[in-house]
Amino acid sequence: MNLLLLGKGKTGSLVEEVARERGHDVQLLASAENPQGTGLTAERLRGVDGVIDFTNPEVVLDNMRACIRNRTPMVVGTTGWYDHLPEIERQVQSAGAALLYGSNFSVGVNVFFEIAAAAAIGISHGYAAQIVERHHAQKKDAPSGTAVSIQNIVSEVANLKPEITSVREGDIVGTHVLLLDSQNDTMMLVHDAKNRRGFAEGAVRAAEWLKGKSGFYEFRKIFLELGK
């Protein structure tokens, strides 16, 4: 595939490395070349099989709108824009475009989401729920998109949104804890990322899965369909 990468931060750099390892051609579009998504022109996107975005919440909406307008398949790993989900979904469906987003592209985290959904039934049996997430000091959004996903998953099961505590310190890749506490015992479910490679691998595999499709997808709903 011919992939265009937006975002050259820690995760974006790994996405480039993983994509090349998997035999893809990778082009980079720097933020200076793409203010407000203006670098994502029809000419620039010609021949591009997929765009992968790991930028920031300030620019991702413009990037998505440009890819939707040009009907270029897009994988979005950037978080912090989910208040606009209904709007973006409408635009994707109206244009016949393809967009796949996820709060976390780690397969392990998405397995964790399923475990959290199963554990949330404890709330109806008297358990109190709390979410704690810890990330590196440079992370711009708080709470993390992953923590919000866990919160929404618990809410779907228990009709209650647990409080999220966010910690920003050091160079922590990402730790998420779902705590379920009762008078009799405590359950603590933990996902601790050792590195960012899992995020990168998931994003590249998502781009491979999205090729040839149209529609609006969440990684959590399709990750079991990914190839190796």
Side-chain angles (χ1 to χ4, degrees):
M1 294 175 63
N2 292 316
L3 298 175
L4 179 62
L5 177 60
L6 310 179
K8 197 68 167 66
K10 295 176 180 178
T11 302
S13 297
L14 270 175
V15 169
E16 179 185 6
E17 179 182 318
V18 169
R20 294 190 192 281
E21 287 175 0
R22 294 177 70 88
H24 303 303
D25 292 323
V26 183
Q27 305 170 52
L28 306 176
L29 185 62
S31 57
E33 304 173 277
N34 187 39
Q36 288 80 52
T38 55
L40 295 167
T41 62
E43 181 179 358
R44 184 68 181 82
L45 293 171
R46 189 173 295 117
V48 172
D49 298 311
V51 174
I52 300 179
D53 186 300
F54 278 93
T55 56
N56 62 69
E58 288 74 36
V59 302
V60 67
L61 286 169
D62 290 324
N63 292 340
M64 287 190 287
R65 289 169 182 143
C67 288
I68 291 167
R69 187 166 56 248
N70 288 286
R71 298 180 65 185
T72 303
M74 186 177 195
V75 171
V76 181
T78 306
T79 59
W81 59 273
Y82 294 157
D83 288 346
H84 298 271
L85 267 171
E87 168 202 342
I88 295 298
E89 181 174 10
R90 284 194 299 270
Q91 292 180 15
V92 168
Q93 303 294 7
S94 176
L99 189 144
L100 191 159
Y101 75 97
S103 62
N104 196 307
F105 281 86
S106 160
V107 169
V109 164
N110 283 271
V111 172
F112 183 83
F113 288 160
E114 300 304 310
I115 296 169
I121 195 172
I123 295 172
S124 65
H125 293 274
Y127 286 81
Q130 183 180 0
I131 298 165
V132 180
E133 57 98 351
R134 300 171 68 234
H135 285 86
H136 54 90
Q138 292 76 35
K139 185 170 176 62
K140 295 184 178 180
D141 58 319
S144 69
T146 301
V148 172
S149 291
I150 297 169
Q151 184 186 58
N152 290 336
I153 289 164
V154 171
S155 178
E156 290 169 6
V157 175
N159 198 29
L160 177 150
K161 284 196 170 184
E163 178 185 349
I164 300 174
T165 300
S166 299
V167 179
R168 297 288 176 269
E169 59 184 8
D171 196 33
I172 301 166
V173 175
T175 301
H176 292 87
V177 180
L178 174 60
L179 185 70
L180 295 163
D181 186 56
S182 77
Q183 291 183 341
N184 299 322
D185 55 18
T186 299
M187 292 182 283
M188 185 181 297
L189 306 176
V190 181
H191 182 276
D192 186 32
K194 296 179 179 179
N195 53 57
R196 294 176 175 81
R197 188 174 177 88
F199 312 148
E201 288 179 351
V204 174
R205 292 169 65 190
E208 294 167 353
W209 180 89
L210 191 61
K211 184 179 181 181
K213 296 180 175 65
S214 62
F216 187 75
Y217 304 96
E218 183 181 6
F219 188 71
R220 178 192 163 207
K221 304 293 177 62
I222 65 92
F223 81 97
L224 292 175
E225 301 178 25
L226 297 179
K228 294 182 179 180

